[in-house]
Amino acid sequence: QVQLVESGGGLVQPGGSLRLSCAASGRIFSIPGMGWDGQAPGKQRELVAAITSGGSTNYADSVKGRFTISRANAKNTVFLQMNSLKPEDTAVYYCNGRLQITPLSTARDYWGQGTQVTVSS
């Protein structure tokens, strides 16, 4: 069974930093893409950052220049380095992965359980 498990959330003051990690485990043939979505209180879940297996990245405009996504392909792990955090970054952050289970299967999306990030003084 495939699982995505996040870690690294917490409470941080404005201007601070956090590093989120997400590890995919289970029967996995390949991971074409991984990323992070954020859901702020009372708002819809939105893309924060994404990265392909080749290293191409995509960021929400609100986090460009402050957040950096990276991945360790050999470990099926994706990271989100969050710097210069603002109160409006407060959200539950969900790891997502487009995973291919076998060489003949179609890749589909999986999500982790989410980790809370709170930016407050």
Side-chain angles (χ1 to χ4, degrees):
Q1 184 174 352
V2 174
Q3 280 189 313
L4 297 178
V5 179
E6 302 106 333
S7 61
L11 173 65
V12 64
Q13 292 186 342
S17 297
L18 281 176
R19 180 177 168 89
L20 305 183
S21 301
C22 171
S25 63
R27 183 185 181 190
I28 301 170
F29 173 72
S30 70
I31 307 180
M34 298 188 80
W36 295 89
D37 297 336
Q39 187 165 19
K43 296 187 177 181
Q44 289 187 333
R45 191 180 300 188
E46 297 179 333
L47 170 72
V48 174
I51 185 168
T52 67
S53 58
S56 296
T57 58
N58 184 34
Y59 295 94
D61 287 343
S62 60
V63 306
K64 285 179 180 178
R66 300 187 298 120
F67 292 9
T68 302
I69 189 170
S70 59
R71 62 187 283 180
N73 289 332
K75 296 183 179 180
N76 292 341
T77 301
V78 65
F79 307 96
L80 186 67
Q81 179 66 43
M82 311 166 72
N83 297 330
S84 302
L85 282 160
K86 305 176 181 180
E88 51 263 43
D89 295 319
T90 295
V92 178
Y93 286 78
Y94 296 90
C95 173
N96 67 78
R98 175 147 291 190
L99 310 182
Q100 186 181 10
I101 305 305
T102 70
L104 298 180
S105 64
T106 301
R108 53 158 288 194
D109 294 330
Y110 292 81
W111 283 268
Q113 80 284 357
T115 185
Q116 176 70 46
V117 171
T118 302
V119 185
S120 175
S121 56

